[in-house]
Each structure stands twice: as C-alpha cells, then as structure tokens.
Amino acid sequence: HNESDAALPRGLASFPDSPELHLLAAQGLKTSGNAAGALAETKRALAANPKLSHGFLQLAQLQFDVGQLDSAFESMRQSPPFGEDSATAATFALPW
C-alpha cells in the first residue's frame, strides 16, 4: 500500500499532463473526503483532455459537492460538445 501511495505522486511528477493520472488522484482525494482537491485534479485532467469520458459530469458532481452550483450547471452545459450525450447530462441534472 505504501508503494502505491508513492507511485501516483511520482507518476504525476514524471507525466504532469496525463489526464488519467489526474483522474486517479482526483478519485483518491474524493475518497479521502477532499472534494476541493479532487475538483482541482479533475480540472487538470480536463485541461489536458477535455474529451475524457464523463469528465465534465464528474467535474459538475464535484462542483455540486463543494457548493459551486452555478459552475456545476455550466460544466453540464459544456459537456455535449466534448462527447457527452445531452440526454445523459440532462438526466444528471435532475436531482438538482
């Protein structure tokens, strides 16, 4: 477990533009309760590859989690041009 904890920071240092590594970091931060850190890592991942599968919806969820409702709705609005199905984005927004 210790080695895997060290591998991600080393990977990010070696490959700072890897959207996949930023998403892994975001998942770990969200799991540990750090929604703000997860949000920052998700933004880095989308900056590197805005067409990540469900990337903007993940971003929107984290923005909801930290109380950035306007930003979350904007992220959902931005998702269809990057490959997200507009019906999926609309369904995602229904609980809010």
Side-chain angles (χ1 to χ4, degrees):
H1 185 42
N2 254 348
E3 188 163 327
S4 64
D5 290 344
L8 185 57
R10 282 197 314 263
L12 283 168
S14 297
F15 304 100
D17 296 327
S18 170
E20 294 82 6
L21 290 178
H22 285 293
L23 283 181
L24 282 174
Q27 288 173 337
L29 289 165
K30 183 176 182 181
T31 300
S32 70
N34 184 346
L39 177 60
E41 288 296 333
T42 301
K43 286 181 178 181
R44 287 184 191 104
L46 285 169
N49 180 1
K51 293 192 177 202
L52 287 170
S53 178
H54 305 299
F56 279 92
L57 297 184
Q58 291 174 14
L59 177 64
Q61 179 62 59
L62 289 164
Q63 289 166 323
F64 278 123
D65 291 348
V66 300
Q68 298 176 1
L69 301 181
D70 290 342
S71 295
F73 284 112
E74 181 61 21
S75 293
M76 283 186 287
R77 190 189 66 71
Q78 289 178 339
S79 67
F82 293 107
E84 195 66 63
D85 178 77
S86 58
T88 302
T91 301
F92 181 84
L94 286 177
W96 293 279

